[in-house]
């Protein structure tokens, strides 16, 4: 089983989509607070369709509480970040891998990313010509 970790998610429908993904793949979803919405948000529920009851979702008060609850160290995590240089296609993931995503507008906090070894920083390949604000034109990491 794989794990998806959303750190400080902000957009309810995005989280609802990930809930649906996890329900259909059997993956565990971890939500690291603070969340920018209620788990009862209508957009979250709508995007997750009827999968909320079948998805395995755990909430954690903060990053450290997540690490402690899972009995893992940050080196067992893979950060999906615009700061990464490796592609996820170059990694031989093993069951139990934790794929960590930051918030949609701010990305993964530097304090958390710094705990994950640099070789575990992964960058999703993006096609050329995407609007600059999606890539952090001003140097601010977004959506990673």
């Amino acid at each position: 089983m794989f794990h998806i970790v959303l750190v400080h998610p902000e957009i309810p429908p995005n989280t609802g989509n990930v809930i649906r993904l996890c329900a259909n793949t059997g993956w565990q979803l971890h939500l690291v607070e603070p969340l920018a919405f209620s788990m009862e948000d209508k957009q979250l529920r709508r995007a997750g369709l009827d999968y909320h009851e079948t998805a395995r979702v755990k909430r954690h008060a903060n990053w450290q509480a997540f690490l402690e609850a899972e009995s893992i160290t940050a080196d067992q995590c893979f950060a999906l970040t615009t700061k990464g240089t490796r592609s996820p296609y170059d990694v031989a993931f093993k069951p139990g891998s934790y794929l960590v995503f930051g918030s949609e507008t701010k990305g993964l906090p530097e304090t958390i990313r710094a705990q994950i070894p640099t070789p575990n920083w992964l960058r999703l390949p993006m096609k050329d010509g995407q609007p600059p604000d999606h890539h952090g034109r001003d140097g601010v990491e977004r959506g990673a």
Side-chain angles (χ1 to χ4, degrees), residues 113-132:
R113 191 177 57 245
Q115 294 177 44
I116 299 172
T118 306
N120 288 7
W121 293 7
L122 308 178
R123 183 182 180 103
L124 289 173
M126 295 183 199
K127 67 181 187 173
D128 291 334
Q130 294 300 303

Side-chain angles (χ1 to χ4, degrees), residues 1 26 35 39 47 57 61 65 69 75 79 82 85-86 98 106 108 132 140:
M1 169 183 55
L35 311 181
M39 290 300 288
V57 179
D75 63 343
T82 59
T85 57
R86 295 177 64 201
Y98 290 79
K106 298 178 186 121
L108 198 56
V140 176

